Amino acid sequence: MTAMAIFRSRTWLSRSFSSLSSHPLRVCVVGSGPAGMYTAEKMLKAHQGAEVDIIDRLPTPFGLVRSGVAPDHPETKIVTNQFSRVAQNDRCSFFGNVTLGSSISLSELRNLYDVVVLAYGAESDRALGIPGEDLSGIYSAREFVWWYNGHPDCRNLSPDLKNTDTAVILGQGNVALDVARILLRPTEELATTDIACHALAALEQSSIRKVYLVGRRGPAQAACTAKELREILGTKKVQIHIKEEDLHKSPEDEEELKNSRIRKRVYELLSKAATTGPSLPSSGQRELHFVFFRKPDSFSESAEYPGHVSGVHLEKTVLKGVGSGKQIAVGSGQFEDIECGMVLKSVGYKSVPVPGLPFDHKNGVVPNDGGRVISDTSGDPELIEQGLYVCGWLKRGPTGIIGTNLHCAEETVASISHDLEHGLIASPPTSMKPGREGLLQLLDDRNVRVVPFSGWEKIDCEERQLGSLKGKPRVKLGSWEDLLKVAM
């Protein structure tokens, strides 16, 4: 189905607005992850005469709920039911396989819509900037997560899990814990989840028996949540190794723990695990080592396999107070090595700018005031980009959980509403921008194969049917070709 055919099949929509406005408020949300879907939902509720179009570069909606949430966390994915209701709203449309920057430019979107909200998240990674980072066997945690979650961009990642028994994960946040759990969890338990079939097959052949979780600071500053930590500490057939000396608390640590209930609970769980100690080894036993007060200095190259990583050179750290109950890790000049054949960097996601978008490269966000895009990084609210907004990681950085995006979206939509009320956005019928019709005509002229929400529903149905044959919730279609073939 062509883009214009999709539009013509929905021409009845225009009639539904006749009693509201001769020209409805036209809004485009870029990105269909939690930030984008919550923004669309709040806009539809706040402005009864608004049309909201959601575009995404993937043929599938829901962003990190589909490609980031661990396959053994199905309860977290239930939010997609809510997001589906948003996309099925008569005043909302989803258009997948539309890439901002190539299918359509930001300036074109701004000319087509009264309001544009960028919520496309963070699809790149922070670099460590240390020697050996380009060696094979070193991956970002994002790539690895996308690989086992069936994201089409990482279908061919093919991490080598067979030729090493040790993996090092740099970072101790929730993503790092997810990755460690997937590497260590019995595959018969993963087999009943929606993990990608190619990933399950590789994990079934995996030789990895030891995983090291490396953090710059100590257990009092661990970045994970108690729920994630409790889950990995309870993974079957996994010995937990934590050095008791790492658990010694300074007065500064006590102050940090006193001010954070979450960190206090995490510290208590780690302390209990260290006191319990590793059990006697049994058949199939694997090991998880928490390594605190270490930062990567460089990666070592294998002599046997040139170009491949063989270990991580770590510098021991100490904590230094920087005021207001916060401590940072600084190098001590002492070093040690961990031999390994695989490294996963879980040191943060990074957003990617598009032409015409003001961007703070240092912090990896779009400069904004309550979601309003500001023309440069000075923060001057007088330099607001009219009608252009941000939400989610692009707005605040790659932090928070799915629910964090709800409050983030509420703030951005409140800013939009305020600007409309105060004449800072040209409101209909004054603006008379073409919106959806203009978007689909432009995409049709460029032969962009648009995937509507009905196309996603075909993918969803196919994946569920394939899953039912294997006792899984779904078998994800893992390639662009397969996704588009089913959707179209």
Side-chain angles (χ1 to χ4, degrees):
M1 182 182 289
T2 67
M4 284 307 296
I6 295 167
F7 173 74
R8 293 189 185 100
S9 70
R10 298 174 64 100
T11 51
W12 57 270
L13 275 172
S14 59
R15 291 192 292 273
S16 68
F17 294 114
S18 57
S19 61
L20 298 171
S21 167
S22 59
H23 187 81
L25 177 71
R26 290 181 164 170
V27 180
C28 183
V29 177
V30 182
S32 65
M37 298 306 291
Y38 281 131
T39 297
E41 180 181 49
K42 296 300 174 185
M43 280 300 303
L44 290 166
K45 287 182 178 179
H47 300 277
Q48 294 301 311
E51 282 185 356
V52 179
D53 296 336
I54 305 167
I55 68 172
D56 199 294
R57 74 177 188 88
L58 292 175
T60 56
F62 312 138
L64 285 181
V65 181
R66 177 175 167 91
S67 61
V69 174
D72 54 352
H73 285 176
E75 70 286 349
T76 307
K77 303 181 185 185
I78 294 174
V79 72
T80 59
N81 295 332
Q82 177 183 349
F83 294 162
S84 292
R85 289 192 292 272
V86 174
Q88 291 163 342
N89 186 296
D90 287 345
R91 294 183 287 121
C92 185
S93 291
F94 168 80
F95 302 120
N97 198 39
V98 178
T99 303
L100 178 64
S102 57
S103 303
I104 189 168
S105 70
L106 178 58
S107 62
E108 287 171 332
L109 275 186
R110 296 181 70 181
N111 288 331
L112 290 169
Y113 288 88
D114 302 304
V115 172
V116 175
V117 184
L118 304 178
Y120 59 77
E123 294 196 333
S124 185
D125 310 285
R126 290 175 54 195
L128 290 168
I130 61 176
E133 195 169 0
D134 59 347
L135 290 170
S136 63
I138 301 175
Y139 310 93
S140 72
R142 175 192 60 83
E143 291 174 311
F144 191 73
V145 169
W146 282 10
W147 171 73
Y148 66 63
N149 271 327
H151 192 294
D153 284 356
C154 289
R155 172 65 179 85
N156 298 319
L157 188 69
S158 299
D160 185 359
L161 307 179
K162 294 179 70 174
N163 291 314
T164 181
D165 65 355
T166 303
V168 170
I169 301 172
L170 301 174
Q172 294 178 335
N174 283 346
V175 174
L177 265 61
D178 273 349
V179 169
R181 192 179 67 257
I182 295 298
L183 285 171
L184 294 170
R185 189 166 184 177
T187 51
E188 59 267 23
E189 295 179 2
L190 292 174
T192 58
T193 73
D194 67 357
I195 189 169
C197 292
H198 58 259
L200 180 63
L203 288 164
E204 286 173 341
Q205 300 296 315
S206 173
S207 299
I208 292 176
R209 295 295 178 266
K210 295 181 183 180
V211 173
Y212 290 83
L213 277 166
V214 179
R216 293 170 177 261
R217 298 185 293 171
Q221 295 80 30
C224 59
T225 60
K227 178 179 179 293
E228 290 278 354
L229 179 60
R230 191 181 299 111
E231 185 173 7
I232 197 165
L233 292 176
T235 305
K236 291 180 182 179
K237 295 183 178 181
V238 174
Q239 287 186 329
I240 306 298
H241 295 260
I242 301 172
K243 295 179 180 178
E244 288 196 51
E245 58 263 34
D246 285 344
L247 292 159
H248 295 162
K249 292 179 289 184
S250 68
E252 292 80 7
D253 290 335
E254 294 279 12
E255 185 69 18
E256 283 194 60
L257 294 174
K258 185 175 73 173
N259 294 330
S260 174
R261 182 179 59 83
I262 295 174
R263 285 191 175 179
K264 182 179 179 181
R265 183 59 185 138
V266 167
Y267 179 85
E268 290 170 349
L269 289 168
L270 290 168
S271 298
K272 182 179 179 181
T275 304
T276 304
S279 58
L280 292 174
S282 61
S283 175
Q285 197 87 25
R286 301 183 181 190
E287 301 175 14
L288 176 62
H289 298 254
F290 284 84
V291 181
F292 296 101
F293 305 110
R294 303 290 188 275
K295 68 174 184 176
D297 178 73
S298 62
F299 297 104
S300 305
E301 183 176 0
S302 171
E304 186 177 0
Y305 303 104
H308 195 87
V309 68
S310 65
V312 186
H313 191 52
L314 300 170
E315 182 177 12
K316 297 181 181 180
T317 64
V318 294
L319 297 183
K320 176 183 177 182
V322 290
S324 65
K326 184 179 179 181
Q327 301 178 85
I328 61 171
V330 296
S332 67
Q334 296 178 291
F335 298 88
E336 66 181 26
D337 294 280
I338 299 179
E339 293 184 1
C340 64
M342 179 178 178
V343 176
L344 293 164
K345 300 180 296 179
S346 186
V347 294
Y349 288 45
K350 185 176 73 173
S351 293
V352 180
V354 294
L357 178 66
F359 198 76
D360 180 346
H361 290 273
K362 180 181 179 182
N363 296 306
V365 297
V366 172
N368 71 93
D369 175 22
R372 301 176 182 90
V373 174
I374 297 174
S375 296
D376 61 29
T377 58
S378 67
D380 185 351
E382 297 296 319
L383 300 174
I384 296 293
E385 291 277 340
Q386 187 181 44
L388 184 61
Y389 300 82
V390 283
C391 187
W393 285 1
L394 201 57
K395 171 184 172 184
R396 66 180 191 274
T399 60
I401 58 176
I402 289 174
T404 310
N405 294 287
L406 173 59
H407 304 294
C408 188
E410 287 174 339
E411 181 186 51
T412 294
V413 172
S415 294
I416 295 170
S417 299
H418 173 277
D419 294 349
L420 278 166
E421 291 169 9
H422 289 80
L424 301 177
I425 300 173
S427 59
T430 308
S431 63
M432 294 300 290
K433 292 195 174 181
R436 182 179 304 156
E437 183 175 6
L439 171 69
L440 293 178
Q441 182 63 65
L442 186 151
L443 295 174
D444 200 43
D445 291 344
R446 293 176 182 172
N447 295 316
V448 176
R449 297 173 63 189
V450 174
V451 177
F453 197 74
S454 59
W456 153 246
E457 290 174 325
K458 293 177 184 177
I459 294 171
D460 184 42
C461 181
E462 176 75 5
E463 290 183 342
R464 290 179 185 273
Q465 287 179 349
L466 292 172
S468 67
L469 300 175
K470 295 191 174 185
K472 295 163 61 75
R474 68 174 65 238
V475 169
K476 290 181 178 177
L477 303 175
S479 72
W480 282 91
E481 182 182 5
D482 288 344
L483 288 165
L484 292 173
K485 181 179 179 182
V486 171
M488 307 304 283

